[in-house]
Amino acid sequence: MAGSSHGARTMHVYPVTNYSFGQKAGRAAKDATPSATATRLREAYERDGPRRSVDAVMLVNQHNTPHVLLLQSAGSGPGAPATFRLPGGRLRRGEGELEGLQRKLHSKLSPSDASLGGAKEWETGDCLARWHRPAHDAHFYPYLPTHATRPKEARAVYAVQLPEKCKFAVPKSLKLLAVPLFELYGNEKRYGAVVSSIPYLISRFHLNLESKAEE
Amino acid sequence: MAGSSHGARTMHVYPVTNYSFGQKAGRAAKDATPSATATRLREAYERDGPRRSVDAVMLVNQHNTPHVLLLQSAGSGPGAPATFRLPGGRLRRGEGELEGLQRKLHSKLSPSDASLGGAKEWETGDCLARWHRPAHDAHFYPYLPTHATRPKEARAVYAVQLPEKCKFAVPKSLKLLAVPLFELYGNEKRYGAVVSSIPYLISRFHLNLESKAEE
């Protein structure tokens, strides 16, 4: 296997209390309803071809258990459930995955004032999974289904090592949550296939659950 | 992240027709019923402590679709369903994971006559997942549940790159099957958590679907 290695990789998982969470200005949600999203994505596909996107898995330690950072957007329309997704987003035409991931993490998570640490590079790690969306709907598969000749989206998920401490600032329309692995596991109904698969994908890492630094 | 890299790893997936499949002598199945298995494992735990085991994910190309090699054992007792698992098994005390995986792949898959290629080393690759069995039952989790203070088994799953051609010989009590990814995906009920998660775990690899070599 090209470039294989069998040493366990380590992720350092720092206490959630090491981080501060704020807000910043941001665009309002793009679509009022799920069907508006579907229409927008279909039109983009007709215009630009397959969408490429990239997401980050970032971990924090709470109650000595690894938690995954997710962005929650309010449900669209009355009674609609909230949606959860990993920080990340669409790549521009010709943009590299890691380059686009840096851009997306800055726009979704970094304070807009660089003096607060917004200009730092995020420490991107391994690719964890590659997902395919074969049709004009919301279903992703971890392989390209046999009859899907014209996939609509390819999504790469990367591990990102958080710094020991930092400040997050999230656009007003979103909320940053830390969700424990046991809540995601087996919960595709609430979190979708991509997010609920994270416990499998990171099980090969040694998660170093750090405790609070002495002041 | 220690030792991180972001180049996609490649697995070469050769046509199933490159391989030959035979039988060899082998021990009969250890247990007549699932409850006999549970009793044997519990006694081994009391005697030896936590069990450590290691499994291999090996891929072949059939109908231009990746298939996973699984060992099927006949269901125990009348009407009991067949069970499927990855090639692999229990590590000896103090035995390394990759060393034990070699030994288990030889005993489960290699012809006993070394002139047929039984003495070759298997090409072990990345660790794909680590599973934990917290209780005296058959449930594995891809993380150690919070209240599991005395886990009963730790199982590591590795990718193994098959050679372009080889001969397999399987103990008589088992049957070697090639099962497509789409059959495993979402099918925890039939294949269990460990096997049905394989589509997630290998999605990050570039699978090079090789066609039959010219004669």
Side-chain angles (χ1 to χ4, degrees), chain A residues 1-6 9-10 98 123 126-131 141-143 161 182 185 197 199-201 203-204, chain B residues 1-6 9-10 98 123 126-131 141-143 161 182 185 197 199-201 203-204:
Chain A
M1 194 160 310
S4 67
S5 78
H6 36 78
R9 296 175 191 279
T10 296
L98 295 181
E123 188 182 339
D126 284 17
C127 181
L128 299 178
R130 293 188 179 274
W131 293 86
Y141 294 80
Y143 52 87
Q161 171 66 62
F182 61 77
Y185 185 56
S197 75
Y200 301 112
L201 301 175
S203 73
R204 66 186 167 101
Chain B
M1 194 161 310
S4 66
S5 79
H6 36 77
R9 296 175 192 279
T10 296
L98 294 180
E123 188 182 339
D126 285 15
C127 180
L128 299 177
R130 293 188 179 274
W131 293 85
Y141 294 80
Y143 51 88
Q161 170 67 62
F182 61 78
Y185 185 56
S197 75
Y200 302 112
L201 301 176
S203 74
R204 67 187 167 101

Tab-separated table of all heavy atoms in Angstrom, chain A residues 1-6 9-10 98 123 126-131 141-143 161 182 185 197 199-201 203-204, chain B residues 1-6 9-10 98 123 126-131 141-143 161 182 185 197 199-201 203-204:
chain	number	residue	atom	x	y	z
A	1	MET	N	0.839	-1.185	0.000
A	1	MET	CA	0.000	0.000	0.000
A	1	MET	C	0.874	1.235	0.000
A	1	MET	O	1.764	1.345	0.823
A	1	MET	CB	-0.845	-0.023	1.257
A	1	MET	CG	-1.967	0.924	1.230
A	1	MET	SD	-3.137	0.364	2.463
A	1	MET	CE	-3.270	-1.381	1.976
A	2	ALA	N	0.641	2.131	-0.939
A	2	ALA	CA	1.531	3.280	-1.083
A	2	ALA	C	1.555	4.114	0.197
A	2	ALA	O	0.515	4.481	0.735
A	2	ALA	CB	1.081	4.140	-2.253
A	3	GLY	N	2.729	4.387	0.680
A	3	GLY	CA	2.888	5.311	1.805
A	3	GLY	C	2.246	4.846	3.096
A	3	GLY	O	1.886	5.653	3.921
A	4	SER	N	2.090	3.542	3.270
A	4	SER	CA	1.407	3.087	4.475
A	4	SER	C	2.307	3.206	5.692
A	4	SER	O	3.518	3.211	5.607
A	4	SER	CB	0.948	1.647	4.312
A	4	SER	OG	2.058	0.789	4.234
A	5	SER	N	1.689	3.297	6.844
A	5	SER	CA	2.428	3.310	8.098
A	5	SER	C	1.476	2.736	9.122
A	5	SER	O	0.270	2.744	8.938
A	5	SER	CB	2.826	4.719	8.496
A	5	SER	OG	1.728	5.392	9.053
A	6	HIS	N	1.993	2.198	10.215
A	6	HIS	CA	1.057	1.633	11.168
A	6	HIS	C	1.190	2.199	12.560
A	6	HIS	O	0.625	1.676	13.498
A	6	HIS	CB	1.116	0.114	11.167
A	6	HIS	CG	2.490	-0.419	10.951
A	6	HIS	ND1	3.405	-0.444	11.946
A	6	HIS	CD2	3.087	-0.898	9.839
A	6	HIS	CE1	4.528	-0.951	11.458
A	6	HIS	NE2	4.376	-1.228	10.192
A	9	ARG	N	-1.847	7.466	15.027
A	9	ARG	CA	-1.737	8.910	15.043
A	9	ARG	C	-2.396	9.444	16.305
A	9	ARG	O	-3.348	8.858	16.806
A	9	ARG	CB	-2.431	9.494	13.820
A	9	ARG	CG	-1.764	9.060	12.533
A	9	ARG	CD	-2.544	9.548	11.344
A	9	ARG	NE	-2.070	8.939	10.130
A	9	ARG	CZ	-0.998	9.337	9.460
A	9	ARG	NH1	-0.291	10.369	9.902
A	9	ARG	NH2	-0.624	8.736	8.362
A	10	THR	N	-1.893	10.552	16.774
A	10	THR	CA	-2.414	11.143	18.007
A	10	THR	C	-3.126	12.447	17.701
A	10	THR	O	-2.645	13.250	16.906
A	10	THR	CB	-1.255	11.403	18.992
A	10	THR	OG1	-0.681	10.146	19.356
A	10	THR	CG2	-1.736	12.116	20.238
A	98	LEU	N	-7.146	21.629	0.818
A	98	LEU	CA	-6.650	22.170	2.087
A	98	LEU	C	-6.660	23.690	2.082
A	98	LEU	O	-6.912	24.323	3.121
A	98	LEU	CB	-5.254	21.623	2.381
A	98	LEU	CG	-5.235	20.108	2.621
A	98	LEU	CD1	-3.826	19.632	2.932
A	98	LEU	CD2	-6.193	19.720	3.745
A	123	GLU	N	-4.488	23.797	11.635
A	123	GLU	CA	-3.576	22.656	11.448
A	123	GLU	C	-4.333	21.456	10.873
A	123	GLU	O	-4.891	20.637	11.611
A	123	GLU	CB	-2.922	22.302	12.797
A	123	GLU	CG	-1.814	21.264	12.649
A	123	GLU	CD	-1.208	20.873	14.003
A	123	GLU	OE1	-1.344	21.644	14.977
A	123	GLU	OE2	-0.607	19.789	14.067
A	126	ASP	N	-5.132	14.426	8.488
A	126	ASP	CA	-5.515	13.360	7.559
A	126	ASP	C	-6.875	13.582	6.920
A	126	ASP	O	-7.791	14.090	7.551
A	126	ASP	CB	-5.652	12.038	8.328
A	126	ASP	CG	-4.323	11.429	8.675
A	126	ASP	OD1	-3.315	12.136	8.621
A	126	ASP	OD2	-4.322	10.228	9.022
A	127	CYS	N	-7.015	13.105	5.700
A	127	CYS	CA	-8.351	12.919	5.132
A	127	CYS	C	-8.982	11.725	5.839
A	127	CYS	O	-8.374	10.660	5.962
A	127	CYS	CB	-8.280	12.671	3.634
A	127	CYS	SG	-9.914	12.455	2.892
A	128	LEU	N	-10.203	11.911	6.338
A	128	LEU	CA	-10.887	10.847	7.084
A	128	LEU	C	-11.875	10.080	6.220
A	128	LEU	O	-12.106	8.889	6.435
A	128	LEU	CB	-11.650	11.452	8.268
A	128	LEU	CG	-10.825	12.183	9.323
A	128	LEU	CD1	-11.750	12.765	10.396
A	128	LEU	CD2	-9.814	11.235	9.956
A	129	ALA	N	-12.502	10.773	5.267
A	129	ALA	CA	-13.527	10.112	4.450
A	129	ALA	C	-13.795	10.946	3.209
A	129	ALA	O	-13.538	12.158	3.192
A	129	ALA	CB	-14.826	9.940	5.237
A	130	ARG	N	-14.290	10.271	2.182
A	130	ARG	CA	-14.756	10.956	0.972
A	130	ARG	C	-16.176	10.504	0.677
A	130	ARG	O	-16.452	9.309	0.606
A	130	ARG	CB	-13.849	10.632	-0.225
A	130	ARG	CG	-12.469	11.230	-0.031
A	130	ARG	CD	-11.579	11.134	-1.241
A	130	ARG	NE	-10.326	11.765	-0.908
A	130	ARG	CZ	-10.087	13.082	-1.019
A	130	ARG	NH1	-11.014	13.879	-1.530
A	130	ARG	NH2	-8.935	13.588	-0.652
A	131	TRP	N	-17.054	11.480	0.547
A	131	TRP	CA	-18.481	11.227	0.362
A	131	TRP	C	-18.924	11.661	-1.036
A	131	TRP	O	-18.352	12.585	-1.617
A	131	TRP	CB	-19.269	12.001	1.416
A	131	TRP	CG	-19.052	11.500	2.798
A	131	TRP	CD1	-18.039	11.867	3.646
A	131	TRP	CD2	-19.824	10.530	3.494
A	131	TRP	NE1	-18.151	11.179	4.823
A	131	TRP	CE2	-19.241	10.351	4.764
A	131	TRP	CE3	-20.973	9.781	3.175
A	131	TRP	CZ2	-19.751	9.461	5.708
A	131	TRP	CZ3	-21.484	8.910	4.115
A	131	TRP	CH2	-20.885	8.756	5.361
A	141	TYR	N	-23.188	9.159	0.108
A	141	TYR	CA	-22.703	7.786	0.265
A	141	TYR	C	-21.180	7.808	0.375
A	141	TYR	O	-20.522	8.604	-0.304
A	141	TYR	CB	-23.080	6.927	-0.950
A	141	TYR	CG	-24.555	6.717	-1.104
A	141	TYR	CD1	-25.355	7.701	-1.672
A	141	TYR	CD2	-25.150	5.545	-0.675
A	141	TYR	CE1	-26.721	7.514	-1.804
A	141	TYR	CE2	-26.512	5.356	-0.802
A	141	TYR	CZ	-27.291	6.338	-1.369
A	141	TYR	OH	-28.640	6.155	-1.485
A	142	PRO	N	-20.610	6.864	1.164
A	142	PRO	CA	-19.145	6.819	1.296
A	142	PRO	C	-18.462	6.082	0.148
A	142	PRO	O	-17.293	5.743	0.249
A	142	PRO	CB	-18.945	6.088	2.633
A	142	PRO	CG	-20.135	5.210	2.756
A	142	PRO	CD	-21.283	5.932	2.084
A	143	TYR	N	-19.183	5.845	-0.927
A	143	TYR	CA	-18.626	5.271	-2.160
A	143	TYR	C	-19.503	5.804	-3.279
A	143	TYR	O	-20.615	6.316	-3.014
A	143	TYR	CB	-18.652	3.734	-2.127
A	143	TYR	CG	-20.007	3.173	-1.785
A	143	TYR	CD1	-20.960	2.938	-2.784
A	143	TYR	CD2	-20.375	2.947	-0.458
A	143	TYR	CE1	-22.219	2.470	-2.469
A	143	TYR	CE2	-21.641	2.480	-0.139
A	143	TYR	CZ	-22.551	2.241	-1.148
A	143	TYR	OH	-23.808	1.801	-0.832
A	161	GLN	N	-6.468	19.519	13.828
A	161	GLN	CA	-5.983	19.599	15.208
A	161	GLN	C	-6.165	21.024	15.715
A	161	GLN	O	-5.538	21.957	15.198
A	161	GLN	CB	-4.501	19.213	15.248
A	161	GLN	CG	-3.818	19.469	16.580
A	161	GLN	CD	-4.364	18.590	17.696
A	161	GLN	OE1	-4.267	17.383	17.641
A	161	GLN	NE2	-4.969	19.208	18.709
A	182	PHE	N	-20.798	9.675	21.662
A	182	PHE	CA	-21.873	8.700	21.893
A	182	PHE	C	-23.225	9.240	21.451
A	182	PHE	O	-24.135	8.467	21.170
A	182	PHE	CB	-21.901	8.234	23.355
A	182	PHE	CG	-22.154	9.319	24.379
A	182	PHE	CD1	-23.424	9.819	24.590
A	182	PHE	CD2	-21.104	9.829	25.129
A	182	PHE	CE1	-23.651	10.809	25.531
A	182	PHE	CE2	-21.316	10.824	26.076
A	182	PHE	CZ	-22.599	11.318	26.274
A	185	TYR	N	-23.139	8.648	17.509
A	185	TYR	CA	-23.036	7.259	17.063
A	185	TYR	C	-24.413	6.633	16.870
A	185	TYR	O	-25.242	6.630	17.789
A	185	TYR	CB	-22.230	6.441	18.080
A	185	TYR	CG	-21.963	5.024	17.644
A	185	TYR	CD1	-21.323	4.769	16.439
A	185	TYR	CD2	-22.374	3.951	18.416
A	185	TYR	CE1	-21.083	3.466	16.031
A	185	TYR	CE2	-22.129	2.649	18.013
A	185	TYR	CZ	-21.489	2.420	16.813
A	185	TYR	OH	-21.252	1.135	16.400
A	197	SER	N	-21.162	9.364	11.125
A	197	SER	CA	-20.086	8.386	10.879
A	197	SER	C	-18.773	8.754	11.565
A	197	SER	O	-17.820	7.969	11.543
A	197	SER	CB	-19.821	8.254	9.377
A	197	SER	OG	-19.104	9.374	8.896
A	199	PRO	N	-17.654	8.831	14.667
A	199	PRO	CA	-17.044	7.889	15.622
A	199	PRO	C	-16.258	6.760	14.959
A	199	PRO	O	-15.190	6.381	15.448
A	199	PRO	CB	-18.254	7.361	16.403
A	199	PRO	CG	-19.253	8.481	16.337
A	199	PRO	CD	-19.080	9.060	14.958
A	200	TYR	N	-16.745	6.231	13.832
A	200	TYR	CA	-15.971	5.212	13.113
A	200	TYR	C	-14.642	5.790	12.621
A	200	TYR	O	-13.593	5.168	12.727
A	200	TYR	CB	-16.706	4.733	11.849
A	200	TYR	CG	-18.068	4.142	12.052
A	200	TYR	CD1	-19.204	4.801	11.587
A	200	TYR	CD2	-18.220	2.911	12.668
A	200	TYR	CE1	-20.461	4.239	11.739
A	200	TYR	CE2	-19.478	2.351	12.829
A	200	TYR	CZ	-20.592	3.016	12.359
A	200	TYR	OH	-21.827	2.472	12.516
A	201	LEU	N	-14.741	6.992	12.031
A	201	LEU	CA	-13.611	7.525	11.273
A	201	LEU	C	-12.440	7.915	12.155
A	201	LEU	O	-11.295	7.892	11.718
A	201	LEU	CB	-14.063	8.741	10.452
A	201	LEU	CG	-15.183	8.453	9.455
A	201	LEU	CD1	-15.623	9.746	8.782
A	201	LEU	CD2	-14.741	7.430	8.411
A	203	SER	N	-11.806	6.461	15.149
A	203	SER	CA	-11.489	5.424	16.145
A	203	SER	C	-10.041	4.963	16.044
A	203	SER	O	-9.470	4.464	17.006
A	203	SER	CB	-12.439	4.237	16.012
A	203	SER	OG	-12.160	3.465	14.862
A	204	ARG	N	-9.434	5.126	14.855
A	204	ARG	CA	-8.043	4.679	14.698
A	204	ARG	C	-7.029	5.637	15.336
A	204	ARG	O	-5.863	5.296	15.465
A	204	ARG	CB	-7.710	4.510	13.215
A	204	ARG	CG	-7.707	5.817	12.430
A	204	ARG	CD	-7.513	5.568	10.947
A	204	ARG	NE	-7.799	6.729	10.150
A	204	ARG	CZ	-6.883	7.551	9.632
A	204	ARG	NH1	-5.604	7.336	9.868
A	204	ARG	NH2	-7.246	8.587	8.903
B	1	MET	N	-0.916	17.612	14.020
B	1	MET	CA	-1.221	16.191	14.198
B	1	MET	C	0.028	15.388	13.882
B	1	MET	O	0.611	15.566	12.824
B	1	MET	CB	-2.318	15.838	13.209
B	1	MET	CG	-2.952	14.531	13.494
B	1	MET	SD	-4.503	14.549	12.646
B	1	MET	CE	-5.153	16.126	13.210
B	2	ALA	N	0.413	14.534	14.794
B	2	ALA	CA	1.679	13.840	14.624
B	2	ALA	C	1.672	12.987	13.362
B	2	ALA	O	0.745	12.225	13.115
B	2	ALA	CB	1.942	12.957	15.840
B	3	GLY	N	2.670	13.131	12.552
B	3	GLY	CA	2.835	12.271	11.389
B	3	GLY	C	1.749	12.399	10.348
B	3	GLY	O	1.504	11.468	9.595
B	4	SER	N	1.072	13.533	10.274
B	4	SER	CA	-0.036	13.639	9.332
B	4	SER	C	0.470	13.814	7.913
B	4	SER	O	1.567	14.277	7.652
B	4	SER	CB	-0.921	14.812	9.708
B	4	SER	OG	-0.222	16.007	9.543
B	5	SER	N	-0.352	13.391	6.978
B	5	SER	CA	-0.055	13.620	5.572
B	5	SER	C	-1.393	13.706	4.872
B	5	SER	O	-2.394	13.232	5.373
B	5	SER	CB	0.742	12.463	4.990
B	5	SER	OG	-0.111	11.382	4.706
B	6	HIS	N	-1.460	14.341	3.693
B	6	HIS	CA	-2.766	14.448	3.067
B	6	HIS	C	-2.809	13.883	1.657
B	6	HIS	O	-3.763	14.074	0.944
B	6	HIS	CB	-3.303	15.873	3.122
B	6	HIS	CG	-2.244	16.909	2.962
B	6	HIS	ND1	-1.715	17.205	1.756
B	6	HIS	CD2	-1.612	17.673	3.870
B	6	HIS	CE1	-0.789	18.140	1.933
B	6	HIS	NE2	-0.696	18.437	3.193
B	9	ARG	N	-4.130	7.721	-0.148
B	9	ARG	CA	-3.484	6.421	-0.263
B	9	ARG	C	-4.219	5.620	-1.323
B	9	ARG	O	-5.411	5.750	-1.506
B	9	ARG	CB	-3.529	5.694	1.064
B	9	ARG	CG	-2.728	6.425	2.134
B	9	ARG	CD	-2.904	5.727	3.459
B	9	ARG	NE	-2.392	6.547	4.541
B	9	ARG	CZ	-1.095	6.619	4.859
B	9	ARG	NH1	-0.206	5.934	4.197
B	9	ARG	NH2	-0.701	7.397	5.842
B	10	THR	N	-3.475	4.755	-1.995
B	10	THR	CA	-4.055	3.941	-3.064
B	10	THR	C	-4.091	2.483	-2.642
B	10	THR	O	-3.135	1.977	-2.057
B	10	THR	CB	-3.208	4.088	-4.343
B	10	THR	OG1	-3.291	5.449	-4.785
B	10	THR	CG2	-3.713	3.166	-5.449
B	98	LEU	N	0.557	-6.569	14.175
B	98	LEU	CA	0.857	-6.946	12.796
B	98	LEU	C	1.432	-8.356	12.708
B	98	LEU	O	1.163	-9.087	11.752
B	98	LEU	CB	1.802	-5.918	12.159
B	98	LEU	CG	1.170	-4.536	11.998
B	98	LEU	CD1	2.149	-3.571	11.362
B	98	LEU	CD2	-0.109	-4.609	11.177
B	123	GLU	N	0.731	-8.168	2.913
B	123	GLU	CA	1.160	-6.758	2.907
B	123	GLU	C	0.198	-5.916	3.737
B	123	GLU	O	-0.815	-5.407	3.248
B	123	GLU	CB	1.223	-6.242	1.454
B	123	GLU	CG	1.836	-4.857	1.350
B	123	GLU	CD	1.847	-4.349	-0.092
B	123	GLU	OE1	1.757	-5.164	-1.039
B	123	GLU	OE2	1.932	-3.115	-0.263
B	126	ASP	N	-2.549	0.428	6.656
B	126	ASP	CA	-3.037	1.310	7.722
B	126	ASP	C	-3.972	0.614	8.694
B	126	ASP	O	-4.762	-0.242	8.302
B	126	ASP	CB	-3.873	2.444	7.108
B	126	ASP	CG	-3.038	3.491	6.436
B	126	ASP	OD1	-1.857	3.224	6.180
B	126	ASP	OD2	-3.586	4.569	6.143
B	127	CYS	N	-3.938	1.076	9.917
B	127	CYS	CA	-5.029	0.763	10.844
B	127	CYS	C	-6.246	1.582	10.418
B	127	CYS	O	-6.150	2.795	10.175
B	127	CYS	CB	-4.647	1.119	12.277
B	127	CYS	SG	-5.969	0.736	13.451
B	128	LEU	N	-7.387	0.921	10.269
B	128	LEU	CA	-8.609	1.591	9.807
B	128	LEU	C	-9.535	1.968	10.960
B	128	LEU	O	-10.246	2.971	10.889
B	128	LEU	CB	-9.379	0.674	8.842
B	128	LEU	CG	-8.658	0.267	7.563
B	128	LEU	CD1	-9.538	-0.695	6.764
B	128	LEU	CD2	-8.310	1.494	6.723
B	129	ALA	N	-9.557	1.154	11.987
B	129	ALA	CA	-10.484	1.405	13.097
B	129	ALA	C	-10.053	0.604	14.308
B	129	ALA	O	-9.362	-0.409	14.185
B	129	ALA	CB	-11.917	1.015	12.721
B	130	ARG	N	-10.471	1.090	15.482
B	130	ARG	CA	-10.282	0.351	16.737
B	130	ARG	C	-11.630	0.233	17.428
B	130	ARG	O	-12.307	1.238	17.640
B	130	ARG	CB	-9.266	1.064	17.641
B	130	ARG	CG	-7.879	1.034	17.057
B	130	ARG	CD	-6.795	1.542	17.969
B	130	ARG	NE	-5.529	1.408	17.260
B	130	ARG	CZ	-4.791	0.298	17.246
B	130	ARG	NH1	-5.173	-0.760	17.944
B	130	ARG	NH2	-3.685	0.247	16.536
B	131	TRP	N	-11.983	-0.990	17.753
B	131	TRP	CA	-13.285	-1.293	18.330
B	131	TRP	C	-13.132	-1.777	19.766
B	131	TRP	O	-12.116	-2.376	20.119
B	131	TRP	CB	-13.977	-2.376	17.497
B	131	TRP	CG	-14.350	-1.896	16.133
B	131	TRP	CD1	-13.559	-1.871	15.025
B	131	TRP	CD2	-15.600	-1.343	15.737
B	131	TRP	NE1	-14.245	-1.345	13.962
B	131	TRP	CE2	-15.508	-1.015	14.377
B	131	TRP	CE3	-16.814	-1.096	16.404
B	131	TRP	CZ2	-16.554	-0.449	13.658
B	131	TRP	CZ3	-17.857	-0.537	15.693
B	131	TRP	CH2	-17.730	-0.222	14.338
B	141	TYR	N	-18.149	-1.174	19.992
B	141	TYR	CA	-18.296	0.264	19.786
B	141	TYR	C	-16.981	0.833	19.260
B	141	TYR	O	-15.911	0.384	19.679
B	141	TYR	CB	-18.614	0.983	21.106
B	141	TYR	CG	-19.952	0.613	21.673
B	141	TYR	CD1	-20.127	-0.567	22.378
B	141	TYR	CD2	-21.047	1.450	21.492
B	141	TYR	CE1	-21.371	-0.920	22.890
B	141	TYR	CE2	-22.290	1.116	22.005
B	141	TYR	CZ	-22.443	-0.073	22.701
B	141	TYR	OH	-23.665	-0.409	23.195
B	142	PRO	N	-17.053	1.869	18.402
B	142	PRO	CA	-15.815	2.453	17.872
B	142	PRO	C	-15.174	3.461	18.836
B	142	PRO	O	-14.327	4.244	18.422
B	142	PRO	CB	-16.289	3.127	16.578
B	142	PRO	CG	-17.709	3.477	16.830
B	142	PRO	CD	-18.257	2.415	17.746
B	143	TYR	N	-15.607	3.466	20.073
B	143	TYR	CA	-14.993	4.284	21.133
B	143	TYR	C	-15.258	3.523	22.418
B	143	TYR	O	-16.115	2.612	22.451
B	143	TYR	CB	-15.622	5.688	21.199
B	143	TYR	CG	-17.118	5.662	21.279
B	143	TYR	CD1	-17.766	5.585	22.500
B	143	TYR	CD2	-17.898	5.648	20.124
B	143	TYR	CE1	-19.140	5.510	22.580
B	143	TYR	CE2	-19.271	5.572	20.181
B	143	TYR	CZ	-19.886	5.511	21.417
B	143	TYR	OH	-21.258	5.420	21.489
B	161	GLN	N	-3.249	-5.099	1.623
B	161	GLN	CA	-3.183	-5.065	0.166
B	161	GLN	C	-2.942	-6.489	-0.343
B	161	GLN	O	-1.880	-7.071	-0.073
B	161	GLN	CB	-2.042	-4.140	-0.273
B	161	GLN	CG	-1.705	-4.204	-1.756
B	161	GLN	CD	-2.829	-3.653	-2.619
B	161	GLN	OE1	-3.172	-2.474	-2.521
B	161	GLN	NE2	-3.423	-4.495	-3.453
B	182	PHE	N	-21.816	-1.957	-1.383
B	182	PHE	CA	-23.200	-1.473	-1.258
B	182	PHE	C	-24.069	-2.456	-0.480
B	182	PHE	O	-25.097	-2.068	0.065
B	182	PHE	CB	-23.811	-1.142	-2.627
B	182	PHE	CG	-23.895	-2.295	-3.588
B	182	PHE	CD1	-24.888	-3.257	-3.473
B	182	PHE	CD2	-22.979	-2.403	-4.631
B	182	PHE	CE1	-24.972	-4.307	-4.372
B	182	PHE	CE2	-23.043	-3.456	-5.530
B	182	PHE	CZ	-24.050	-4.407	-5.391
B	185	TYR	N	-23.149	-1.666	3.311
B	185	TYR	CA	-23.455	-0.314	3.788
B	185	TYR	C	-24.860	-0.258	4.400
B	185	TYR	O	-25.843	-0.617	3.752
B	185	TYR	CB	-23.339	0.680	2.632
B	185	TYR	CG	-23.530	2.113	3.065
B	185	TYR	CD1	-22.739	2.659	4.067
B	185	TYR	CD2	-24.505	2.918	2.489
B	185	TYR	CE1	-22.904	3.966	4.475
B	185	TYR	CE2	-24.679	4.233	2.882
B	185	TYR	CZ	-23.872	4.754	3.880
B	185	TYR	OH	-24.042	6.043	4.294
B	197	SER	N	-19.337	-1.206	8.859
B	197	SER	CA	-18.701	0.125	8.845
B	197	SER	C	-17.594	0.248	7.797
B	197	SER	O	-17.058	1.345	7.597
B	197	SER	CB	-18.103	0.439	10.219
B	197	SER	OG	-16.906	-0.297	10.422
B	199	PRO	N	-17.431	0.425	4.516
B	199	PRO	CA	-17.526	1.473	3.479
B	199	PRO	C	-17.076	2.853	3.960
B	199	PRO	O	-16.422	3.589	3.212
B	199	PRO	CB	-19.010	1.453	3.096
B	199	PRO	CG	-19.440	0.033	3.371
B	199	PRO	CD	-18.688	-0.353	4.620
B	200	TYR	N	-17.399	3.226	5.215
B	200	TYR	CA	-16.903	4.500	5.749
B	200	TYR	C	-15.381	4.510	5.817
B	200	TYR	O	-14.726	5.476	5.456
B	200	TYR	CB	-17.388	4.734	7.184
B	200	TYR	CG	-18.871	4.753	7.403
B	200	TYR	CD1	-19.498	3.747	8.131
B	200	TYR	CD2	-19.657	5.785	6.908
B	200	TYR	CE1	-20.865	3.770	8.360
B	200	TYR	CE2	-21.021	5.815	7.128
B	200	TYR	CZ	-21.619	4.802	7.856
B	200	TYR	OH	-22.963	4.828	8.079
B	201	LEU	N	-14.851	3.403	6.345
B	201	LEU	CA	-13.437	3.382	6.724
B	201	LEU	C	-12.503	3.413	5.533
B	201	LEU	O	-11.382	3.900	5.627
B	201	LEU	CB	-13.141	2.137	7.570
B	201	LEU	CG	-13.960	2.020	8.857
B	201	LEU	CD1	-13.656	0.702	9.545
B	201	LEU	CD2	-13.655	3.194	9.782
B	203	SER	N	-13.335	4.824	2.563
B	203	SER	CA	-13.720	5.854	1.578
B	203	SER	C	-12.593	6.835	1.298
B	203	SER	O	-12.536	7.447	0.241
B	203	SER	CB	-14.975	6.587	2.042
B	203	SER	OG	-14.695	7.478	3.108
B	204	ARG	N	-11.662	6.987	2.258
B	204	ARG	CA	-10.569	7.938	2.050
B	204	ARG	C	-9.496	7.403	1.101
B	204	ARG	O	-8.610	8.149	0.687
B	204	ARG	CB	-9.932	8.303	3.388
B	204	ARG	CG	-9.201	7.145	4.069
B	204	ARG	CD	-8.740	7.523	5.465
B	204	ARG	NE	-8.313	6.383	6.231
B	204	ARG	CZ	-7.038	6.025	6.440
B	204	ARG	NH1	-6.063	6.732	5.911
B	204	ARG	NH2	-6.751	4.975	7.170
